Amino acid sequence: MADVFRFAMWLTRDRTVAEDLTQETFEQALKSFRSYELGTNCKAWLIKILYHQNGKRLRKMNRLRLVEDLEEMIAETVAFVPSVPQRITETEVLDALRIVPKQYSQIVVLADVEDFSYKEIARILGIPMGTVMSRLHRGRKLLRVELAAYARGFGFEERKKVGERK
């Protein structure tokens, strides 16, 4: 086991990943013990299994590539989250909602006005629940920015948080 772990450490350079890989190797060795030929090098057989398990792990990691998302680009352009003044009317909120892109505003309305859960919104719109959560976060952020800009137009000042730069 020490030799298998040492080779796993050399392959992964990460102790926790090497421990998991070693455990997966021995699990796979137990499952396929009938394929082991007596008289052959057991250590070499285990290292071969380890090598194949590591290959599976790497292929799985490559399938989980992150793709560039236009929503991320929009979120990056909103650098500051201003506080929303307390004296904003429903009309002002609706006007601000009309400015926020539809893909975000519809989720904000479904979640915050209609009180649907993330799961229900995902089912209604036919999108993954993770997308619902990220769009809701970004939609609320964009709405706060619009409402703060609207309030500044009426002379309300933003309050700076302690340690925050303008």
Side-chain angles (χ1 to χ4, degrees):
M1 186 170 194
D3 293 334
V4 172
F5 177 71
R6 193 171 28 258
F7 189 67
M9 276 294 291
W10 181 80
L11 281 175
T12 63
R13 309 279 195 262
D14 183 341
R15 184 174 188 81
T16 57
V17 174
E19 288 171 349
D20 290 344
L21 197 53
T22 301
Q23 184 175 357
E24 290 168 10
T25 298
F26 279 93
E27 183 181 332
Q28 186 60 41
L30 286 172
K31 286 180 184 176
S32 59
F33 189 70
R34 65 188 171 334
S35 69
Y36 175 70
E37 296 176 21
L38 287 174
T40 60
N41 187 344
C42 182
K43 181 177 160 184
W45 181 68
L46 288 170
I47 295 296
K48 183 176 180 181
I49 293 172
L50 171 76
Y51 192 74
H52 285 289
Q53 290 296 111
N54 188 51
K56 279 197 233 178
R57 181 184 67 85
L58 292 173
R59 282 190 298 279
K60 186 176 180 180
M61 285 175 44
N62 283 337
R63 282 192 297 250
L64 297 175
R65 291 180 189 233
L66 297 176
V67 293
E68 194 168 316
D69 189 4
L70 293 178
E71 294 174 20
E72 285 294 327
M73 293 170 64
I74 291 173
E76 289 173 4
T77 62
V78 182
F80 170 67
V81 180
S83 59
V84 178
Q86 299 301 314
R87 294 176 238 136
I88 291 189
T89 65
E90 290 177 10
T91 307
E92 294 160 344
V93 172
L94 290 173
D95 289 343
L97 262 173
R98 286 188 193 99
I99 296 170
V100 173
K102 185 178 179 182
Q103 65 183 7
Y104 301 115
S105 62
Q106 67 184 0
I107 292 177
V108 170
V109 169
L110 288 171
D112 296 338
V113 177
E114 301 297 331
D115 277 335
F116 284 113
S117 68
Y118 296 150
K119 194 174 189 178
E120 292 169 327
I121 295 170
R123 195 173 37 246
I124 290 168
L125 298 177
I127 58 177
M129 195 163 58
T131 304
V132 169
M133 292 187 294
S134 65
R135 286 184 183 174
L136 180 59
H137 174 75
R138 292 178 188 132
R140 287 174 176 163
K141 196 173 192 178
L142 290 169
L143 187 59
R144 275 193 299 271
V145 169
E146 290 301 324
L147 290 172
Y150 191 81
R152 276 193 306 275
F154 285 98
F156 291 106
E157 285 295 317
E158 298 173 24
R159 288 186 222 153
K160 285 175 53 173
K161 293 179 184 172
V162 176
E164 183 180 318
R165 294 182 193 173
K166 197 157 190 181

